[in-house]
Amino acid sequence: MKIRPLMQRYPVTSYFVLAYLISWGGSFAIGGPKFLRGELLDFEDAMLMGLPMLAGPLIAGIAMTYLVDGKTGLQNIFSRMFKWRVGLRWYAAALLIFPTLILGVLWTLTAFVSPDFAPTFMAFGILGGLLAGFIEEIGWMGFAYPRMETKFGTWRATIYLALLHGLWHAMAGYLWEASTYGVYWLPRFIAMWFVAMMAMRILLVWIYSNTGSLLLAQLTHASSSGFLIILSPSMISPANETLWFAVYAVILWIPAAIVIMRFGKTFVRQPLQRQVERMR
């Protein structure tokens, strides 16, 4: 069977295979040789690995959209990116939930555990967050999620996407951080890229489902990633960094749980008539 018809037949699987190949392959090509020699990767290595990490979901999302839906599909993605006329409360949710919780966790840990947890301000996080949010979500929410939702429903699509998005960080994360964090690498990775990622994706899908705005999804991701970089404590031990990430991951489930309890697993408030029909 030719590749193109196969990819058109299995668009979501093809998207993830392509995104992973670009991101993991590029990350290993940049950081793998030094890692295999037992050398520590530095900040420049991490920045270089960020290029294929961003390129993976972007290229896969655009390529698969064009392959499956042609120019009409690309126009649809960009129209959702420019959908900005939504209520201010959705902008507030997208931009304020994450820094509020991050600061709350860090201030609490600073007061009751150690001053090492004091938040800092790293301006680079503004650019990092914007790049991650606006570039990655073209693939995750622009292409993959709508098709996953059609096949699996909102709840399962959200969880599956969160898990696949979290795992996607493993190659670059391991190459750069495994030597530094040692035994703390795996629990830190699980807390940040599975536990917290799942809660973040629930909040992101909730905002997207109620606005239809890919722009709001991008801003939500940008706020989450950006403020983690901007506010994270500097010069902190691997054990303490793992601790604060774990606490934050648990706390982030509070707004996620509220969304589930109030809106159900569709994340959208249903009309009264539909609720009555479901109760019959």
Side-chain angles (χ1 to χ4, degrees):
M1 183 180 291
K2 294 183 179 180
I3 296 296
R4 180 167 183 167
L6 184 66
M7 295 176 73
Q8 291 174 325
R9 184 176 179 181
Y10 302 103
V12 175
T13 300
S14 299
Y15 164 79
F16 283 109
V17 169
L18 185 57
Y20 269 66
L21 281 175
I22 295 171
S23 296
W24 283 26
S27 296
F28 189 80
I30 293 168
K34 184 180 285 189
F35 179 85
L36 293 176
R37 292 195 300 268
E39 301 175 20
L40 290 176
L41 275 67
D42 54 30
F43 185 73
E44 291 182 359
D45 297 316
M47 293 300 97
L48 288 175
M49 286 193 295
L51 297 178
M53 290 297 289
L54 291 172
L58 174 65
I59 293 174
I62 291 177
M64 289 305 304
T65 298
Y66 185 76
L67 186 65
V68 174
D69 297 321
K71 293 182 179 179
T72 302
L74 293 176
Q75 290 171 353
N76 176 267
I77 285 182
F78 289 115
S79 68
R80 284 182 282 147
M81 284 178 60
F82 287 97
K83 186 175 181 180
W84 61 273
R85 292 180 179 272
V86 298
L88 288 177
R89 61 175 177 157
W90 296 112
Y91 281 97
L95 296 174
L96 299 180
I97 289 176
F98 302 101
T100 300
L101 295 181
I102 290 170
L103 286 173
V105 169
L106 290 176
W107 283 337
T108 301
L109 290 173
T110 300
F112 294 100
V113 180
S114 169
D116 291 344
F117 292 101
T120 58
F121 183 83
M122 185 180 294
F124 168 77
I126 299 173
L127 176 61
L130 290 173
L131 288 174
F134 278 81
I135 292 177
E136 289 181 30
E137 291 303 330
I138 290 175
W140 305 132
M141 293 300 292
F143 179 82
Y145 176 77
R147 289 162 176 80
M148 295 173 73
E149 184 187 29
T150 299
K151 183 175 182 180
F152 300 114
T154 302
W155 174 250
R156 289 170 63 192
T158 301
I159 299 305
Y160 295 160
L161 180 57
L163 292 172
L164 288 166
H165 184 192
L167 182 62
W168 169 82
H169 294 84
M171 175 64 75
Y174 188 77
L175 291 174
W176 185 32
E177 299 167 342
S179 299
T180 301
Y181 289 94
V183 296
Y184 293 102
W185 182 84
L186 184 58
R188 176 182 176 275
F189 185 87
I190 292 173
M192 197 69 259
W193 299 120
F194 287 122
V195 181
M197 176 65 73
M198 201 170 296
M200 186 279 282
R201 187 58 61 176
I202 288 171
L203 294 170
L204 189 152
V205 172
W206 165 61
I207 292 171
Y208 176 80
S209 297
N210 283 277
T211 63
S213 172
L214 184 55
L215 171 64
L216 265 292
Q218 292 170 310
L219 286 174
T220 304
H221 186 155
S223 176
S224 174
S225 298
F227 281 109
L228 279 172
I229 301 172
I230 293 167
L231 299 173
S232 286
S234 60
M235 305 301 291
I236 191 172
S237 70
N240 281 345
E241 185 165 321
T242 302
L243 172 62
W244 105 253
F245 277 161
V247 173
Y248 172 67
V250 172
I251 295 300
L252 192 57
W253 268 93
I254 295 175
I258 292 172
V259 166
I260 296 170
M261 289 187 292
R262 290 194 60 188
F263 294 87
K265 292 183 178 181
T266 64
F267 305 147
V268 178
R269 190 177 300 282
Q270 298 176 0
L272 180 60
Q273 181 60 35
R274 288 187 62 185
Q275 295 181 29
V276 172
E277 290 175 355
R278 286 195 170 200
M279 294 173 65
R280 290 177 179 173

